[in-house]
């Protein structure tokens, strides 16, 4: 959360910073700011509440700089307003700092060192920049020594990505990180820092990693890295192949609709990448490591956790290995008794989720083997796990995840088939995954082609109610959880995903006249039971809707979806639910892509 960008060198910085911030807006969008310096004695600080467009509108032609830092905020300490927006700066207006993360001991630092300082903001960030200034002005330290001292004083549990400027060394950006993501971008005559590669991709495709507890000094023609205990580090740059145009919205009003539509082509791409001849193409070393496992632990948050729930039964069915799925923020602090030979699978679209990374840090301490399934190559979770599989979904910009969910499940299925085949499990050997995924790609397209009908259903049933329920059994329940998350996060309808049999054990008390209850029905064994549970709610006034596989459908079903293999139904049953959420949000006139209080990349725990 929060996006950082910085640039220094032979290019005008303002447009680079604004462009970078627009690409980072998915990380937080409650306020934004830039500090730029023209390296000729003039500097400018501009901050605004709200979106990057507000900040852009406030920048006039006089604002010029060759170096600068920028920030888009998702508030943690202090309400979203101009004063709390970053860059935060020291009382003498010499040091400027942008920060992503949380400084756990900021109150103690303030108490111990800065009692006499008047603080403008409520942020933890201001404490850091005031403290650097204190060590420079009171104890005559140079800037680097002062920053290193502050970094050593920050509690190691804290998370931070910092970019700091000193107006007396206007060509230099000081950079450090712990837990929060940050990358260096290397260009011709200028260098950059950014929260992700995409924020710098219009300028360069050459990047350098920063590890935790490193201080990086970025100058126009030079980048130096040292550890907090002052050991110089040398690191090779890497290049990233990224199509910047893939982030264009094209004719779509919102990214979310584009990304829902893209799911069929993502399925086709995954088939080409991983199943060119039908047999999965998966790294042998990864499969060899997984062969030793007696239990697969899938770790994820939010939608990725839900993708794990759908994957669990695929792994168990095709590999015969016991598989469990865990919410990362829970597993990090309280996990079940682990098996003797665990293997960890991290699901993370962004590859940056702090809660999931916390689990990976612990897994690495125990030297347990791990894999990250992610959309972002070289992301933190990808770099730090033993193996990575990419989901090939292309950039997902809308805060509500759609194509990453289906792509994650497809990659889980590909991996499960590969592992099952290696174990000579006949269910895996016989599983026609290539043709199923191609069939699913067509099925998704058929659903998205019929989106007008779904828009009308959303307008009729979901525009007014405060509450809604998705229900289902087994894997349909796991889809109900994801469907409800989609609806609540972008339309603000209080929605729950429920095991349909469990509703009558208490929650049915919430059913009122016209409360929408949407049943997901794709499994032969449980279809009749879920229908009975729907009727129980209808008898109490609910407006019932259904998303049903064709072979199980009846005359008055609401949305009928193509038949696919029972293990893979989440890939298709979620699509109408994504569209229902989209059109409900759209109908309410909300910003579908940037729902309130949320950010796409959750880099605080
Ligand atoms: C919901 C959503 C979130 C993310 C969650 C994990 O639509 O996008 O629930 O799924 O924050 O993010 P990743 O997958 O990046 O680890």
């Amino acid at each position: 959360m929060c996006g950082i960008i910085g640039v220094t060198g032979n290019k005008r910085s303002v447009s680079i910073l604004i462009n970078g911030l627009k690409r980072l807006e998915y990380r937080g969008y409650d306020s934004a700011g830039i500090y730029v310096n023209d390296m000729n004695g003039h500097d400018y600080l501009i901050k605004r509440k709200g979106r990057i467009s507000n900040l852009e509108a406030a920048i006039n032609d006089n604002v010029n700089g060759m170096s600068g830092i920028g920030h888009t905020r998702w508030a943690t300490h202090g309400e979203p307003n101009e004063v709390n927006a970053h860059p935060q700066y020291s009382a003498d207006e010499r040091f400027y700092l942008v920060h992503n993360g949380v400084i756990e001991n900021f109150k103690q630092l303030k108490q111990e060192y800065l009692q006499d300082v008047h603080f403008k903001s409520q942020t933890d960030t201001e404490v850091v920049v005031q403290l650097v200034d204190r060590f420079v002005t009171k104890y005559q330290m140079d800037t680097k020594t002062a920053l290193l001292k502050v970094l050593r004083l920050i509690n190691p549990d804290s998370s931070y990505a910092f970019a700091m400027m000193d107006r007396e060394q206007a060509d230099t950006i000081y950079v450090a990180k712990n837990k929060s993501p940050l990358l260096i971008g290397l260009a011709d005559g200028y260098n950059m820092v950014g929260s992700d590669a995409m924020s710098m991709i219009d300028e360069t495709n050459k990047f350098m990693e920063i590890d935790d507890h490193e201080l990086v000094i970025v100058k126009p023609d030079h980048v130096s890295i040292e550890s907090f205990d002052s050991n110089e580090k040398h690191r090779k740059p890497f290049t990233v192949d990224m199509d910047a145009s893939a982030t264009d919205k094209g004719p779509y009003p919102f990214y979310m609709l584009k990304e829902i539509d893209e799911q069929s082509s993502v399925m086709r791409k995954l088939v080409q990448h991983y199943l060119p001849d039908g047999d999965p193409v998966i790294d042998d070393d990864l499969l060899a490591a997984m062969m030793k496992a007696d239990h697969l632990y899938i770790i994820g948050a939010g939608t990725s956790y839900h993708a794990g729930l759908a994957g669990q039964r695929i792994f168990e069915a095709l590999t015969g290995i016991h598989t469990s799925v865990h919410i990362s923020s829970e597993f990090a602090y309280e996990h079940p008794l682990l098996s003797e030979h665990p293997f960890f699978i991290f699901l993370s679209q962004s590859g940056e989720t702090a809660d999931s990374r916390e689990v990976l840090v612990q897994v690495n301490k125990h030297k347990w083997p791990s894999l990250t399934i992610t959309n972002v190559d070289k992301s933190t979770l990808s770099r730090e796990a033993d193996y990575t599989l990419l989901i090939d979904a292309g950039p997902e910009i809308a805060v509500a995840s759609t194509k990453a969910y289906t792509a994650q499940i497809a990659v889980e299925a590909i991996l499960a088939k590969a592992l099952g085949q290696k174990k000579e499990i006949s269910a895996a050997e016989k599983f026609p995954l290539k043709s199923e995924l191609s069939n699913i790609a067509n099925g998704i397209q058929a659903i998205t082609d019929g989106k007008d009908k779904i828009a009308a259903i959303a307008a009729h049933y979901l525009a007014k109610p405060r509450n809604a329920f998705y229900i289902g059994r087994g894997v349909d329940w796991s889809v109900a959880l994801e469907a409800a998350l989609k609806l609540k996060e972008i339309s603000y309808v209080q929605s729950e995903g429920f095991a349909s049999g469990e509703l009558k054990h208490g929650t049915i008390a919430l059913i009122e006249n016209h409360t929408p209850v949407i049943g997901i029905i794709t499994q032969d064994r449980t279809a009749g039971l879920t229908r009975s549970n729907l009727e129980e709610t209808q008898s109490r006034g609910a407006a019932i809707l259904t998303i049903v596989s064709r072979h199980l459908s009846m005359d008055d079903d609401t949305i009928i979806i193509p038949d696919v293999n029972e293990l893979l139904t989440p890939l298709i049953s979620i699509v109408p639910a994504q569209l229902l959420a989209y059109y409900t949000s759209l109908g309410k006139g909300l910003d579908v892509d940037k729902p309130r209080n949320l950010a796409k990349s959750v880099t605080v725990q």
Side-chain angles (χ1 to χ4, degrees), residues 300-306 328 347-354 356 373-374 381 396 398-402 404 408 482 485-486 489-490 598-602:
T303 291
S304 292
Y305 166 70
H306 296 155
S328 50
L347 292 183
S348 177
Q349 185 281 133
S350 63
E352 300 295 350
T353 299
S356 302
I373 297 180
T374 181
L381 283 157
E396 193 182 63
V399 163
S401 185
T402 51
Q408 282 170 336
E482 173 58 10
L485 177 61
K486 285 296 84 88
E489 69 182 322
I490 61 167
L598 295 178
K600 185 138 190 86
S601 184
V602 186

Side-chain angles (χ1 to χ4, degrees), residues 4 87 91 132 160 181 201 215 268 338 419 454 461 481 567 593:
I4 288 178
V132 172
Y160 54 81
I201 200 72
L215 174 68
R268 292 188 186 110
L338 297 183
L419 184 58
I454 297 179
Y461 290 98
L481 294 173
L567 281 178
D593 287 339

Side-chain angles (χ1 to χ4, degrees), residues 332-388:
Y333 304 99
E334 196 153 323
H335 58 70
L337 196 59
L338 297 183
S339 70
E340 216 171 317
H341 302 291
F343 187 96
F344 286 84
I345 301 175
F346 290 84
L347 292 183
S348 177
Q349 185 281 133
S350 63
E352 300 295 350
T353 299
D355 290 318
S356 302
R357 193 206 173 204
E358 180 57 37
V359 180
L360 180 53
V361 168
Q362 296 177 27
V363 163
N364 284 343
K365 270 194 198 134
H366 287 94
K367 297 194 168 33
W368 286 319
S370 60
L371 158 74
T372 293
I373 297 180
T374 181
N375 203 20
V376 184
D377 195 13
K378 311 279 195 315
S379 55
T380 305
L381 283 157
S382 143
R383 292 197 311 266
E384 295 182 357
D386 298 325
Y387 305 95
T388 295

Side-chain angles (χ1 to χ4, degrees), residues 480-513:
L481 294 173
E482 173 58 10
L485 177 61
K486 285 296 84 88
L487 185 60
K488 74 180 94 166
E489 69 182 322
I490 61 167
S491 75
Y492 316 146
V493 175
Q494 160 95 48
S495 34
E496 296 304 328
F498 244 82
S500 62
E502 185 66 7
L503 210 59
K504 58 185 173 297
H505 296 289
T507 307
I508 203 164
L510 294 175
I511 302 295
E512 295 169 350
N513 270 347

